[in-house]
Amino acid sequence: MKLKFTLLLMLSALLVQAQPGKSSLGLRAGGVSGIAFKYVDDDLRGFELIAGAKEGGMVLTCLLQKYRPIGAGRISGLSLYTGGGAHAGYSKYTEEIIHVVEGWHYHAYHEVTSPVLGGDFVLGVEYQFESIPMNLSLDYKPYVEVFGQKDFRVDLWDIGFSIRYAFNQ
């Protein structure tokens, strides 16, 4: 797991140097918590990559976003964004198996690793500080997914808070 996060950080650093827009890298805490890389171009289109932990496994989420500045005056760094994308990864869970032998019930437990694949929507607000290279965001990211512990799942309550260091501000 540490190797995967290290590789993601190295890839993010390369992306930051190769792009003329605004890039940021930091942490997201929420339903899916992990490392978040975001890039926003001059046309206010964004790309976000989240490598996060979820249900004992790991998931990689890719989101395309559209930004709209909503702040003026003292809060000029405030923006609203919407978008969508997809995620893929794996989850782990414990499954119970009950064996009945001559009227006796025997319970056995084993850990299952299952792939997950899904679609995401995002609605958020972000504030870019003017004096320091940092931004904060609060997002609502509901998703649907297939596989995992259930064959089909809808999660309407993935709310996250991110804090990121802003490059090439």
Side-chain angles (χ1 to χ4, degrees), residues 3-158:
L3 177 64
K4 291 176 186 176
F5 281 128
T6 303
L7 291 173
L8 179 69
L9 282 173
M10 290 171 51
L11 175 65
S12 297
L14 290 174
L15 289 171
V16 165
Q17 292 179 357
Q19 303 296 332
K22 295 178 182 175
S23 302
S24 57
L25 180 66
L27 301 173
R28 180 182 192 269
V32 174
S33 299
I35 297 172
F37 169 78
K38 187 177 277 196
Y39 167 75
V40 180
D41 67 14
D42 294 331
D43 294 328
L44 300 178
R45 291 183 303 237
F47 166 82
E48 185 170 11
L49 191 63
I50 304 167
K54 181 182 136 191
E55 298 173 355
M58 185 175 162
V59 66
L60 185 63
T61 305
C62 179
L63 301 166
L64 298 176
Q65 302 163 340
K66 181 65 178 162
Y67 279 75
R68 189 176 77 213
I70 58 173
R74 294 181 63 110
I75 54 171
S76 64
L78 192 62
S79 296
L80 179 70
Y81 61 92
T82 60
H87 66 272
Y90 67 93
S91 66
K92 292 183 179 180
Y93 58 93
T94 302
E95 188 173 71
E96 179 182 21
I97 299 174
I98 301 173
H99 299 283
V100 179
V101 178
E102 297 179 8
W104 290 87
H105 290 76
Y106 297 95
H107 297 265
Y109 300 91
H110 67 93
E111 189 173 274
V112 177
T113 300
S114 177
V116 294
L117 182 66
D120 300 74
F121 170 77
V122 66
L123 170 65
V125 63
E126 181 173 292
Y127 181 71
Q128 176 65 52
F129 290 94
E130 290 182 22
S131 58
I132 57 175
M134 179 186 296
N135 63 48
L136 303 173
S137 66
L138 179 65
D139 64 55
Y140 171 64
K141 192 180 74 60
Y143 61 86
V144 296
E145 69 184 13
V146 293
F147 310 119
Q149 188 170 0
K150 299 177 183 178
D151 291 334
F152 181 77
R153 176 180 173 191
V154 176
D155 187 346
L156 298 176
W157 299 108
D158 185 359

